[in-house]
Amino acid sequence: MRKPPDFSRRLGERLRSIRKQSGLSLGDVERRSKGEFKASVVGAYERGERSISVPRLARLAEYYGVTLEELLPTEDEHVHTPGLRTPDADTLRLDLVALETAQDPEARIVERYVNRIRIDRGSLDETEIAIRREDIKAIAAFLDMDEEEFLRHLVQMGVVAGRRNAHAPR
């Protein structure tokens, strides 16, 4: 088989990395997307064997809950975990229902911190809350994690609003 061009290979590696960080298998992607993304096709994208159109790549980024730019490889092969973007890059929206039901022990710590914010803001009846970059840093430090590790942990817990992950049914 012909070796894929460097960009296709790096794009494929990036796609695989983001899928795995979300805790999804190729089969999960196909099932949860209700067949929109076939496992064999996504696998071919990841191996760099098949080209992907920009609209299709944008749709895959939306499905994974990242920006299109975060799917694109950079010159640095050791790219950090894709950031969690919201319309305001200094905030992150949390799903309070998912946070309340999360089984992770750290979820209780995050929940207590977020409840304090809710009280201060007078937003006790909301189902989502935007937390600021400073809050993210503070909670991460309290949990003895760096900011990026904490953001990945929030995704794994399934509490980032609007972000699909391994624990969120489609």
Side-chain angles (χ1 to χ4, degrees):
M1 177 176 13
R2 179 174 73 92
K3 183 178 176 188
D6 188 52
F7 182 82
S8 294
R9 179 191 54 78
R10 289 186 302 122
L11 175 62
E13 289 170 358
R14 191 83 176 125
L15 293 173
R16 179 179 293 114
S17 173
I18 290 170
R19 175 181 55 78
K20 288 187 173 202
Q21 287 172 15
S22 297
L24 297 171
S25 69
L26 289 170
D28 292 336
V29 171
E30 182 169 345
R31 280 187 300 281
R32 292 180 181 185
S33 71
K34 297 185 171 110
E36 179 180 358
F37 298 105
K38 300 287 185 208
S40 60
V41 174
V42 174
Y45 295 152
E46 291 180 359
R47 291 185 301 275
E49 297 171 354
R50 184 171 177 163
S51 295
I52 184 170
S53 69
V54 173
R56 189 84 173 136
L57 188 63
R59 180 66 188 109
L60 193 57
E62 182 182 324
Y63 177 78
Y64 286 149
V66 298
T67 66
L68 180 58
E69 293 79 20
E70 289 167 320
L71 282 184
L72 297 175
T74 65
E75 292 306 310
D76 180 3
E77 286 295 320
H78 303 288
V79 180
H80 69 281
T81 302
L84 300 172
R85 302 280 193 262
T86 60
D88 177 354
D90 290 330
T91 64
L92 177 71
R93 295 198 67 77
L94 296 181
D95 180 330
L96 297 172
V97 175
L99 180 60
E100 186 177 301
T101 59
Q103 298 300 311
D104 193 292
E106 283 87 4
R108 302 297 62 85
I109 295 167
V110 175
E111 187 176 24
R112 282 194 299 273
Y113 191 99
V114 166
N115 282 338
R116 182 73 242 168
I117 296 170
R118 294 172 69 198
I119 290 167
D120 290 347
R121 293 183 190 172
S123 60
L124 292 173
D125 57 344
E126 301 292 323
T127 60
E128 290 185 3
I129 190 167
I131 60 172
R132 297 180 183 102
R133 176 77 49 198
E134 296 80 29
D135 297 316
I136 293 167
K137 288 179 181 179
I139 300 168
F142 185 73
L143 294 172
D144 197 27
M145 296 180 185
D146 64 38
E147 185 179 349
E148 189 174 317
E149 180 182 9
F150 176 59
L151 292 173
R152 280 194 307 266
H153 196 75
L154 289 173
V155 170
Q156 290 169 346
M157 284 193 295
V159 301
V160 177
R163 183 163 175 111
R164 294 181 177 93
N165 58 64
H167 305 295
R170 277 212 19 98

